[in-house]
Amino acid sequence: MIYMLDTANLDAIRRAVDLYPLAGVTTNPTIIAKENRTLREILLDIREIIGETRMLHAQVLGTTAEIMLKEARALCQFDPHIIIKVPVTPQGIKAMKLMKADGMRITATAILTPQQALMAAMAGAEFLAPYVNRLDNICSGGCSVVADITQLIATYQLSAKVLAASFKNVQQVHEVAKAGAQSVTIAPDVFDQLLNHPLTDSGVAGFVMDWNGVYGEGKTILDVL
Ligand code: G3P
């Protein structure tokens, strides 16, 4: 599983880079706007935290392929390692073909159907980002859409990877993992929930209590080995 964090919040990114096997950070215009700083500052700061090897995804906003391509070129000039997110509109699909010809890395986003995903993969997208919770909100089975996309990728032997997005709970993440999604991007609050279990916490507390009772408070393996 390739884990990414869906945020532009620097504290959350720092924390996740420190704790988790994080492969990258994804943003979208809403996520960027929440920070209320310039895009330049935000992208620079995120890159500084995640380093060159982790992925950084940033989305274009234009409504025509030509403008999207110009935006993508500007983003790539600013950060040569950036991955360009493009919505799966007809103009977006055209833009993906042009960006692919330019050698850019592309994430197709705002995917709500398997056919949008298939078209984006054929247009050159490396990642396909279906919106799981937004589909669940309208009773359209977000996880089964992801399962259909992973099946299409296998059937057509495509190199594109699912980057499942828009999660509101751990069950959704679990379902897309079972469906074979190659990657997920998760907001910080849900990401932390992936590890949460009261029995894990009480289990660890019990180990510490039993240990301290014999070897003394605060003693580690290093003190007694
Ligand atoms: O990356 C796409 C994702 O941010 C959408 O999530 O929570 O706004 O549905 P959400």
Side-chain angles (χ1 to χ4, degrees), residues 6-7 26-28 30-31 34 59 85 109-110 129-134 137 163 165-168 185 187:
D6 201 23
T7 187
T26 57
T27 66
N28 64 33
T30 304
I31 285 172
K34 261 189 209 156
Q59 191 167 326
K85 283 178 80 179
T109 193
Y131 282 6
V132 175
N133 191 66
R134 292 192 194 191
N137 280 347
L163 172 56
S166 175
F167 293 106
K168 283 296 164 282
T185 184

Side-chain angles (χ1 to χ4, degrees), residues 17 20-25 47 49-56 81:
V17 163
Y20 304 133
L22 197 74
V25 167
R47 179 58 80 195
I49 296 168
I50 68 175
E52 273 193 7
T53 52
R54 290 189 187 84
M55 290 178 267
L56 174 55
H81 302 292

Side-chain angles (χ1 to χ4, degrees), residues 3 13 30-31 34 53 68 79 89 93 106-107 117 123 130 168 177 184 198 209 220:
Y3 289 109
I13 295 168
T30 304
I31 285 172
K34 261 189 209 156
T53 52
M68 288 185 217
D79 182 335
T89 59
I93 295 294
I106 303 157
T107 291
K168 283 296 164 282
V184 287
M209 197 175 68
T220 70

Side-chain angles (χ1 to χ4, degrees), residues 76-196:
C76 289
Q77 204 163 18
F78 184 71
D79 182 335
H81 302 292
I82 211 151
I83 301 179
I84 306 295
K85 283 178 80 179
V86 187
V88 288
T89 59
Q91 287 294 315
I93 295 294
K94 176 179 174 183
M96 289 177 210
K97 294 192 298 172
L98 298 171
M99 291 173 196
K100 181 72 180 172
D102 246 26
M104 297 178 195
R105 295 179 71 184
I106 303 157
T107 291
T109 193
I111 292 175
L112 283 311
T113 75
Q115 285 304 312
Q116 291 173 326
L118 183 57
M119 182 88 76
M122 297 311 297
E126 176 180 350
F127 289 99
L128 310 168
Y131 282 6
V132 175
N133 191 66
R134 292 192 194 191
L135 282 162
D136 285 353
N137 280 347
I138 55 166
C139 197
S140 292
C143 298
S144 65
V145 167
V146 169
D148 283 354
I149 298 171
T150 58
Q151 196 185 328
L152 287 173
I153 287 173
T155 301
Y156 288 95
Q157 299 180 341
L158 302 170
S159 58
K161 295 184 267 298
V162 171
L163 172 56
S166 175
F167 293 106
K168 283 296 164 282
N169 59 62
V170 172
Q171 187 66 33
Q172 291 166 332
V173 179
H174 181 56
E175 294 300 332
V176 303
K178 282 197 298 180
Q182 293 85 357
S183 56
V184 287
T185 184
I186 310 171
D189 55 337
V190 177
F191 209 116
D192 287 336
Q193 288 296 320
L194 292 175
L195 290 176
N196 229 6

